[in-house]
C-alpha cells in the first residue's frame, strides 16, 4: 500500500493512493475518469462550475490574456484592464448599490478579508472597540483562521485548538438569539454579523422567512456590519444573480468566489458597500494595509469576464430557477421511501435529508458506482445536489432516478 504524494484536503491522510479517483476530462455536466468512465456532475465540482465543463469561451479568453500579460501585482498604484473590467461587470449586476470590489484568490481568503475590513472600517471611523464577530451554528466560512473561527461546524474547528478570540456562534435560524447575543457581548463591541444566506456544507438549510431581514434590523439597531457569505449562493445558484436579490435584503458586504469563474481559475473577493467605503475613503491619507500577491490577477480576471459574459448571454440564473424547480419536484417524489426524512433547498441547491437505515456517505458512494456524483454532508446526514446551471431536463431526471435506485438499494 502506498499513499499519494499529495496531502488531500478533507480526506483521510492514511488513505492508499489506489482508492483515489482520477478525473481527467470534463464537458458540459459530465466528467471522465482515467479509465474512461463518465460521471454526471451533480455537484458542479464543489458548488462552482456554473457554466459547465469544457467551455471554450473561457479557455480561449485565458490563453489570450496570458499571451499579453499573464500576471502583475495590483498593490499601491498598479492596476490592469481585466481587473477593472471584471469589477465593473460585477457591479453592473448590482449585488450592493454604490459598492467597490476587493479581489482575492478564493472564498476562504474573501471571508478573512471581509472580517478584517469590518474591523478596519470601524477603527477608521473612530470605533476601534468593535472586534466581536457573530455567526451561526453549522455555518461554513472557509478554512483560514478567521473563517474557521467564524464557522459553526464542530468537526472543522475542533482539531485546531484555540481559535481567534471575539468570535461567537448562535442558534442557526433565530433572530431573537442573534439579538440576545448582541446584547450580551455589547452592541458597542460588535463589528459584524456574518451569515450564509443558505447554509451550504452544514446541510443546505434555506433561511426561515424573514430571518435575513431580521439580521439586517439587528445590525441597523446595533451599528454592526452585515456580511453575506455568497461564495456558494452567488452568480445564479438560487435562480437569481445573488441571494441579496433572491431574498430582498442588502448587506454591507458580500463575499464571492466559486462561480465567478465557474472554477476555471481561482478567484474571489468582497463587494464593499457604501457605509464601509465611506469610512475607508474619509481620510485621503488612509492606507489599507491588506491584500494578497495574486489579488486582481489579470488572467484569473479574464476567466471571470468570459464566464460572466456567457452566463448573461445564456441567462443561466433563469435556467437555474427552472432546473431547480424540476429537481425539487423530482426529489420530493422520493418522500415516503425508507431513509428519506425531508427534501430542502433553493434553486439548484437541493438536499435530501436522510435517516436510518441510509447514511449520506453510503449513498454518495452508491451513486458514484452508478455514474452520478452527489455530495455527502455528514453534519446533517444529507445528500446534496448542486449541478451546473446548464443542466438539461434529462440530466435532472437522471439524478433523481439514480437517487431513487440507490435509496431502494440501501434501504
Amino acid at each position: 500500500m502506498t499513499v499519494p504524494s499529495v496531502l488531500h484536503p478533507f480526506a483521510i491522510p492514511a488513505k492508499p493512493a489506489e482508492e483515489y479517483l482520477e478525473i481527467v476530462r470534463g464537458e458540459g455536466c459530465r466528467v471522465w475518469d482515467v479509465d474512461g468512465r463518465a460521471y454526471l456532475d451533480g455537484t458542479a465540482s464543489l458548488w462552482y462550475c456554473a457554466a459547465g465543463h469544457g467551455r471554450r469561451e473561457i479557455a480561449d479568453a485565458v490563453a489570450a490574456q496570458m499571451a499579453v500579460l499573464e500576471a502583475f501585482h495590483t498593490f499601491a498604484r498598479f492596476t490592469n484592464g481585466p481587473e477593472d473590467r471584471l469589477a465593473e461587470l460585477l457591479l453592473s449586476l448590482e449585488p450592493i448599490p454604490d459598492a467597490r470590489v476587493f479581489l482575492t484568490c478564493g472564498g476562504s481568503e474573501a471571508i478573512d478579508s471581509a472580517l478584517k475590513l469590518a474591523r478596519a472600517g470601524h477603527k477608521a471611523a473612530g470605533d476601534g472597540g468593535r472586534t466581536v464577530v457573530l455567526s451561526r451554528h453549522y455555518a461554513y466560512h472557509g478554512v483560514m483562521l478567521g473563517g474557521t473561527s467564524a464557522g459553526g461546524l464542530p468537526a472543522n474547528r475542533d482539531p485546531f485548538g484555540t481559535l481567534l478570540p471575539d468570535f461567537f456562534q448562535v442558534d442557526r435560524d433565530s433572530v431573537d438569539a442573534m439579538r440576545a447575543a448582541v446584547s450580551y457581548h455589547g452592541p458597542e463591541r460588535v463589528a459584524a454579523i456574518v451569515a450564509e444566506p443558505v447554509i451550504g456544507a452544514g446541510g443546505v438549510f434555506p433561511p426561515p422567512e424573514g430571518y435575513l431581514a431580521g439580521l439586517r434590523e439587528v445590525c441597523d439597531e446595533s451599528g454592526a456590519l452585515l456580511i453575506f457569505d455568497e461564495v456558494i449562493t452567488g452568480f445564479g445558484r438560487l435562480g437569481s444573480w445573488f441571494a441579496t436579490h433572491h431574498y430582498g435584503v442588502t448587506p454591507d458586504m458580500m463575499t464571492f468566489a466559486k462561480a465567478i469563474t465557474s472554477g476555471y481559475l481561482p478567484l474571489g473577493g468582497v463587494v464593499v458597500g457604501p457605509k464601509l467605503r465611506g469610512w475607508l475613503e474619509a481620510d485621503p491619507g488612509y492606507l489599507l494595509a491588506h491584500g494578497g500577491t495574486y489579488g486582481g490577477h489579470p488572467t484569473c480576471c479574464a476567466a471571470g469576464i468570459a464566464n460572466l459574459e456567457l452566463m448573461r448571454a445564456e441567462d443561466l440564473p433563469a435556467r437555474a430557477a427552472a432546473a431547480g424547480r424540476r429537481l425539487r419536484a423530482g426529489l420530493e417524489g422520493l418522500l415516503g421511501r425508507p431513509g428519506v426524512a425531508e427534501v430542502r433547498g433553493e434553486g439548484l441547491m437541493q438536499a435530501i435529508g436522510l435517516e436510518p437505515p441510509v447514511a449520506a456517505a453510503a449513498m454518495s458512494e452508491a451513486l458514484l458506482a452508478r455514474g452520478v456524483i452527489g455530495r455527502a454532508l455528514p453534519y446533517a446526514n444529507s445528500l446534496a445536489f448542486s449541478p451546473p446551471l446548464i443542466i438539461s431536463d434529462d440530466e435532472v431526471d437522471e439524478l433523481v432516478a439514480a437517487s431513487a435506485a440507490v435509496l431502494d438499494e440501501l434501504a
Side-chain angles (χ1 to χ4, degrees):
M1 182 186 79
T2 58
V3 295
S5 300
V6 174
L7 185 62
H8 286 258
F10 286 94
I12 298 170
K15 183 188 291 291
E18 296 76 20
E19 294 186 17
Y20 285 86
L21 181 63
E22 183 180 351
I23 300 298
V24 298
R25 184 168 69 90
E27 183 176 347
C29 290
R30 296 185 192 271
V31 294
W32 282 259
D33 68 19
V34 70
D35 297 318
R37 186 176 184 196
Y39 302 86
L40 180 57
D41 183 4
T43 61
S45 189
L46 277 177
W47 316 93
Y48 59 64
C49 193
H53 301 281
R55 300 299 298 255
R56 290 302 314 177
E57 302 96 320
I58 303 175
D60 289 346
V62 167
Q65 180 60 45
M66 291 190 78
V68 177
L69 176 67
E70 79 297 345
F72 201 82
H73 77 87
T74 60
F75 282 24
R77 64 183 297 179
F78 291 100
T79 189
N80 61 73
E83 82 158 348
D84 292 336
R85 170 63 182 143
L86 179 63
E88 291 167 358
L89 190 55
L90 171 54
L91 293 177
S92 75
L93 301 174
E94 297 185 329
I96 300 176
D98 194 26
R100 292 175 70 176
V101 179
F102 182 88
L103 292 170
T104 69
C105 293
S108 292
E109 187 182 328
I111 281 290
D112 274 41
S113 294
L115 298 173
K116 289 180 70 177
L117 287 170
R119 287 181 170 181
H122 283 298
K123 187 172 183 178
D127 207 0
R130 290 183 178 267
T131 58
V132 169
V133 174
L134 300 176
S135 56
R136 307 161 73 193
H137 288 309
Y138 303 106
Y140 177 81
H141 295 300
V143 297
M144 301 297 190
L145 189 56
T148 302
S149 300
L153 292 169
N156 289 7
R157 297 170 56 90
D158 293 347
F160 306 108
T162 302
L163 298 174
L164 294 177
D166 286 349
F167 282 75
F168 305 96
Q169 290 75 48
V170 303
D171 289 347
R172 184 181 68 212
D173 292 332
S174 172
V175 174
D176 288 342
M178 189 64 75
R179 183 174 278 109
V182 170
S183 178
Y184 177 82
H185 293 289
E188 74 286 353
R189 295 188 60 236
V190 180
I193 294 173
V194 56
E196 294 174 283
V198 177
I199 283 179
V204 185
F205 291 99
E209 186 173 353
Y211 176 76
L212 297 177
L215 293 187
R216 178 70 273 175
E217 290 175 3
V218 172
C219 287
D220 291 342
E221 293 164 1
S222 65
L225 295 172
L226 179 60
I227 303 171
F228 278 178
D229 181 350
E230 290 222 42
V231 168
I232 292 174
T233 57
F235 305 102
R237 175 60 55 191
L238 304 184
S240 304
W241 275 106
F242 304 103
T244 63
H245 302 156
H246 196 78
Y247 294 109
V249 178
T250 302
D252 298 295
M253 279 189 279
M254 185 196 87
T255 62
F256 63 87
K258 294 191 185 293
I260 190 167
T261 68
S262 283
Y264 279 59
L265 284 175
L267 182 66
V270 185
V271 179
V272 178
K275 179 184 286 187
L276 179 56
R277 275 192 62 183
W279 295 341
L280 298 177
E281 296 171 4
D283 179 357
Y286 178 80
L287 174 68
L288 178 60
H290 176 70
T293 299
Y294 300 111
H297 191 287
T299 303
C300 297
C301 291
I305 294 166
N307 175 65
L308 292 186
E309 286 179 340
L310 70 85
M311 288 185 70
R312 287 209 302 189
E314 297 177 5
D315 198 4
L316 292 192
R319 289 180 62 176
R325 289 190 292 269
R326 188 179 188 92
L327 177 59
R328 179 58 173 264
L331 295 180
E332 287 183 340
L334 305 177
L335 291 169
R337 275 180 160 80
V340 179
E342 65 173 332
V343 172
R344 59 183 181 268
E346 194 74 43
L348 274 181
M349 189 177 176
Q350 299 288 335
I352 307 171
L354 301 169
E355 62 186 6
V358 179
M363 185 170 180
S364 176
E365 286 298 313
L367 281 170
L368 197 62
R370 291 177 177 270
V372 172
I373 300 173
R375 178 90 186 276
L377 302 176
Y379 316 106
N381 192 29
S382 300
L383 195 288
F385 288 120
S386 55
L389 309 191
I390 62 165
I391 191 169
S392 69
D393 288 351
D394 288 345
E395 288 167 331
V396 169
D397 296 344
E398 184 180 344
L399 288 180
V400 174
S403 299
V406 165
L407 285 167
D408 291 344
E409 171 189 324
L410 295 178

